[in-house]
Every structure is written in C-alpha cells, then in structure tokens.
C-alpha cells in the first residue's frame, strides 16, 4: 500500500478509526478534504498525522470545538504547556465525592468563579486539577475557615488573578500602550508563541515568588501594626 495515496478504507485501517468517524471529522471541519485523483479520493500522511492528533487531544478530554481551534491555529504544542492535563475525567458528582468538600461548598466555589465549567477550558469533563483545588478548599474548611470566608477568598483570588492575566495578555498582544519599534512586536510574539510551553513554568515561578513575598510582607506589616506601642521587635 502506498503511504502517500490512501483510500478512505486504508486511512481508517491505519488510523484505527471507522470510515464513518473520518467522514464525521471532515463534516465538522477537523480533517481537510481528500485529494481527487480521477474518480478516487486519496488521503496522504498529513491526514493520518491529523487524525493521530485528534485522537491524542480527545484522550486528554478536549471537546471537538477546542480540538478544531487548536488544530486550525497549529498550536497543539500548547497542550503540554498551558493546557496540560493527565487525561483524568470526573463528573461534578464524582468531583464532590472525591474532594471531601460538601456539595453546598462546591456550589459556592462554582458561583465564586473558582470552579469553572470544563467547557471554559475546552474540556468535556472536570480533571485532576479541579479535584486538587477542591481538596484544598475542603482542607481549609476542616481547618475552621467558614464557608462565607472561603467564598470571599475564592472570589478575591479569581478576580485578582483574572485582572492580572488580562493585563499580561494585553502586554503580549501589544494592546497595553507599550511603544514598539517597527517589526519588534511581531518578532516578540513569534518567539513567545514558539516557546509558550517553556515560558509557562518560568512565569509561574515568578508569580509564586511575588505572591509569597507579598503575603509575607503584608502579614508582617499587619502584625506590627497590631502590636502594642513599644513592643519588642517593632520597627520605627
């Protein structure tokens, strides 16, 4: 069989999919049309590679709409970086049961914007990341934090981080008012896009450092302000 010229039956056999599934992907715009050779429709290595990518993204619980967007943008390299996941899949009920958090508290976390619908991330189910954050919330609750405080805490972080990240995206998109030399922005964006997977953990380290140091500084300031006048260790 010529690997450069596959009929749809051959493509189905090589990809491990059914002919109906391949045609469905074509109707949904996930797979380019075949090349015509007389009356025959032939597929090539690019079609096989595309099907392999679709299967991999589906195994990671991405929705078909998200898969199409990633494939069309040719940015499937972002999956292991920004959109990385272990392929785990949970319903909301399973998430509540496994997290140890009460249903009411989980609902409140959803309303606060901490637990978002999977579709917001291009997923068709919750995953281990969602489970981990709810387990942390459950632990905070067991340590005595009231639900009202936890809800407000979640809301503060969600809105604060979203505002910060929006500013970062505006910076990277050249929409924050920064002046760029001709062609400089485009070069920067191309380099950033090409190394997005490597940039994410580095940026995360910077954010975690700022968060930790800021929390330490503000906490110390609050302790000092509440200390009796002339207490040992207070700063002038």
């Amino acid at each position: 069989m010529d690997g450069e010229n596959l009929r749809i039956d051959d493509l189905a056999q090589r990809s491990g999919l059914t002919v109906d599934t391949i045609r469905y992907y074509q109707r949904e715009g996930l797979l380019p049309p075949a090349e015509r050779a007389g009356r025959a429709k032939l597929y090539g290595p690019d079609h096989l590679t595309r099907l392999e990518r679709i299967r991999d993204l589906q195994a990671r619980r991405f929705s078909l709409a998200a898969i199409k967007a990633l494939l069309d943008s040719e940015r499937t390299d972002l999956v292991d970086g920004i959109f990385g996941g272990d392929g785990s899949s949970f319903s909301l009920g399973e998430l509540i049961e496994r997290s140890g958090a009460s249903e009411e508290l989980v609902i409140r976390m959803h309303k606060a914007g901490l637990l978002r619908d999977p579709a917001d991330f291009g997923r068709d189910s919750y995953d281990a990341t969602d489970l981990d954050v709810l387990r942390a919330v459950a632990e905070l609750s067991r340590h005595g934090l009231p639900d009202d405080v936890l809800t407000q805490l979640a809301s503060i972080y969600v809105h604060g981080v979203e505002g910060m990240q929006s500013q970062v995206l505006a910076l990277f998109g050249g929409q924050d008012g920064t002046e760029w030399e001709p062609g400089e922005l485009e070069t920067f964006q191309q380099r950033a896009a090409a190394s997005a997977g490597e940039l994410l953990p580095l940026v995360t380290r910077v954010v975690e450092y700022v968060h930790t140091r800021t929390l330490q500084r503000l906490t110390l300031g609050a302790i000092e302000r509440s200390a009796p006048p002339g207490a040992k260790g207070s700063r002038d």
Side-chain angles (χ1 to χ4, degrees):
M1 177 170 48
D2 187 356
E4 297 296 325
N5 297 286
L6 301 172
R7 295 179 182 273
I8 193 167
D9 291 336
D10 300 326
L11 183 64
Q13 183 178 14
R14 290 278 295 275
S15 65
L17 299 171
T18 66
V19 170
D20 287 342
T21 298
I22 293 173
R23 286 174 174 159
Y24 172 71
Y25 288 161
Q26 286 183 305
R27 289 196 301 271
E28 294 298 311
L30 274 77
L31 190 69
E35 296 290 336
R36 282 196 171 274
R39 294 184 177 182
K41 293 182 179 180
L42 301 178
Y43 299 83
D46 289 345
H47 291 92
L48 187 59
T49 298
R50 182 100 167 184
L51 289 174
E52 290 171 350
R53 289 178 178 171
I54 292 172
R55 291 187 66 176
D56 177 62
L57 291 169
Q58 282 187 309
R60 295 169 184 252
R61 312 306 302 178
F62 283 95
S63 66
L64 288 182
I67 291 173
K68 184 177 185 304
L70 286 167
L71 291 175
D72 289 347
S73 68
E74 299 182 350
R75 294 314 316 273
T76 53
D77 57 304
L78 294 176
V79 172
D80 289 326
I82 296 176
F83 296 101
D86 62 355
S88 56
S89 174
F90 305 108
S91 67
L92 181 58
E94 290 171 332
L95 209 60
I96 294 171
E97 180 180 357
R98 289 169 179 256
S99 69
S102 68
E103 182 176 358
E104 179 184 356
L105 183 55
V106 172
I107 291 173
R108 294 184 73 161
M109 291 301 101
H110 187 277
K111 290 181 178 178
L114 181 67
L115 181 67
R116 302 294 295 259
D117 290 328
D120 291 348
F121 312 106
R123 310 270 186 178
D124 58 11
S125 63
Y126 295 100
D127 62 17
T129 304
D130 302 304
L131 178 58
D132 183 64
V133 76
L134 285 185
R135 282 176 171 169
V137 169
E139 280 292 314
L140 289 170
S141 179
R142 284 192 286 272
H143 278 289
L145 270 70
D147 286 2
D148 286 344
V149 172
L150 281 170
T151 302
Q152 187 65 14
L153 181 67
S155 180
I156 290 170
Y157 273 109
V158 167
H159 289 94
V161 171
E162 184 160 343
M164 177 188 68
Q165 296 289 20
S166 295
Q167 292 180 56
V168 171
L169 289 176
L171 172 64
F172 275 60
Q175 302 163 348
D176 70 326
T178 301
E179 294 185 5
W180 299 83
E181 296 294 331
E184 186 180 11
L185 175 60
E186 290 75 11
T187 300
F188 163 73
Q189 290 174 333
Q190 290 171 3
R191 288 178 177 174
S195 57
E198 291 77 20
L199 288 177
L200 179 64
L202 298 175
V203 172
T204 299
R205 284 165 58 185
V206 173
V207 172
E208 289 176 347
Y209 172 84
V210 173
H211 180 274
T212 299
R213 289 304 194 203
T214 301
L215 184 60
Q216 291 171 345
R217 178 172 53 82
L218 294 179
T219 300
L220 179 59
I223 292 172
E224 290 177 337
R225 286 192 298 272
S226 65
K232 184 178 179 180
S234 62
R235 293 184 293 187
D236 294 334

